[in-house]
Amino acid sequence: MSAPVTAKRLDGRQVADAIAARVTERVAALEVAPRLVFVRVGEDPASASYVRSKQRLAQRVGLRAETLVMDADTDQAALMTTVRAVVEDDDVDGVLVQLPLPEHLDERPVLEAIDPEKDVDGFHAVNVGRLWSGLPGMVPCTPLGLLEICDHFEVPLLGQRVVIVGRSNLVGKPAAALFLRRHATVTLAHSRTRDLAGLVSEADVVVAAVGRAGIVQGSMVKPGAAVLDVGMSRIDGRIVGDVAPDVWEVAGSMTPMPGGTGPVTVAMVVQNTVTAAERRRNKV
Ligand code: GUN
């Protein structure tokens, strides 16, 4: 028999619904609905499914949203031309190029071609710099969603020890900047960290974002800690996170997978688009 689940479930769908309701009101207050364009290259089923969820929510909150799908063998120049054309369209408020791109394409020049003010992913180097400097800018959606989850469920951050496992540009690095802003003591660990278990066991908040199923185990987690699972792998057709199921028996609170951090990330894409539109329109 498995041990009892003790952790409180940090339900991401509940957080996403609350964000969607707030965003819907902001959209309604604008004269023209913000317009968001997704660019997707190839037919990776996971990417296609993520973009579909983002577009669906965007339309639900009243945005104009569309997806440009390019062939898997699109070359760098063609992708750059398409992205630049979308970015330069004055009617477009937000642009999101879904990652990863097929291997033959270099994502950096593509991300740098996006106007930082329309960069709803917050991946442009200007936005990365703004984030680390404490300046207003566009902030990556998954890390921003982690803060939303903590705020919604009143997970304290000030002065707390946050250990982030995973150092990606998409999640780990920007999450470190955001938790620092909230006055947490942040450690950025990764798959090569020595004594990962010892480090994680000191954390009040654990963020697991490596993309390796079960890298965070129950034996590593401090009883009562909050655990946020970002990693997602498919094993035998089932979606599993970076956090092993036995963590439910130890943690104080934890995001489920699926239904945890994912839906909140999607909600942050639409929130960032509305923020981008409001900023652009208030400028003139
Ligand atoms: N692929 C996985 N997560 C993301 C994300 O947040 N943004 C983009 N553009 N691609 C992703």
Side-chain angles (χ1 to χ4, degrees):
M1 236 184 62
S2 57
V5 166
T6 61
K8 172 177 163 181
R9 186 183 151 91
L10 304 176
D11 184 345
R13 296 200 175 101
Q14 193 182 317
V15 181
D17 283 345
I19 295 163
R22 287 194 323 245
V23 171
T24 304
E25 286 183 11
R26 286 168 62 188
V27 174
L30 291 167
E31 231 162 74
V32 179
R35 181 169 165 216
L36 171 60
V37 178
F38 300 97
V39 178
R40 182 163 74 67
V41 185
E43 285 307 329
D44 175 54
S47 288
S49 153
Y50 294 146
V51 173
R52 265 198 309 276
S53 330
K54 291 174 193 176
Q55 180 164 335
R56 210 179 302 127
L57 184 68
Q59 286 166 341
R60 197 180 112 201
V61 303
L63 302 186
R64 292 176 291 154
E66 69 221 68
T67 302
L68 302 181
V69 182
M70 303 187 73
D71 289 341
D73 62 359
T74 297
D75 66 18
Q76 186 85 28
L79 176 57
M80 298 290 293
T81 303
T82 297
V83 169
R84 285 200 187 104
V86 174
V87 169
E88 280 164 19
D89 185 341
D90 195 47
D91 188 44
V92 172
D93 298 287
V95 181
L96 187 150
V97 178
Q98 184 67 21
L99 303 176
L101 294 171
E103 260 184 25
H104 67 281
L105 296 171
D106 183 1
E107 69 184 31
R108 245 316 122 191
V110 177
L111 298 178
E112 298 311 319
I114 298 174
D115 177 344
E117 313 311 324
K118 300 185 179 186
D119 171 31
V120 294
D121 259 328
F123 293 160
H124 192 289
V126 164
N127 283 319
V128 177
R130 286 172 175 163
L131 175 62
W132 282 98
S133 310
L135 296 170
M138 302 308 297
V139 177
C141 300
T142 301
L144 202 51
L146 298 178
L147 289 192
E148 291 281 348
I149 292 170
C150 291
D151 290 346
H152 186 97
F153 292 104
E154 300 181 342
V155 174
L157 296 176
L158 189 147
Q160 300 294 294
R161 291 186 183 192
V162 177
V163 172
I164 300 164
V165 190
R167 54 177 155 177
S168 68
N169 288 332
L170 272 65
V171 185
K173 285 192 240 174
L178 281 182
F179 283 107
L180 262 181
R181 256 196 205 177
R182 293 296 192 87
H183 313 288
T185 302
V186 178
T187 306
L188 194 48
H190 44 83
S191 56
R192 299 200 206 171
T193 294
R194 179 171 51 81
D195 189 19
L196 182 64
L199 201 60
V200 169
S201 72
E202 292 190 2
D204 303 301
V205 178
V206 181
V207 176
V210 176
R212 189 179 296 174
I215 189 169
V216 172
Q217 303 272 326
S219 59
M220 299 162 75
V221 172
K222 180 164 82 173
V227 180
L228 307 171
D229 192 356
V230 177
M232 206 193 278
S233 315
R234 203 172 284 267
I235 293 185
D236 300 330
R238 267 185 344 115
I239 291 174
V240 295
D242 280 6
V243 178
D246 65 353
V247 177
W248 283 105
E249 300 153 25
V250 187
S253 58
M254 179 161 151
T255 55
M257 178 65 71
T261 57
V264 187
T265 296
V266 173
M268 298 326 291
V269 174
V270 298
Q271 180 171 291
N272 275 355
T273 306
V274 177
T275 301
E278 288 169 347
R279 287 183 185 158
R280 261 163 44 81
R281 288 166 200 193
N282 287 337
K283 233 179 211 174
V284 263

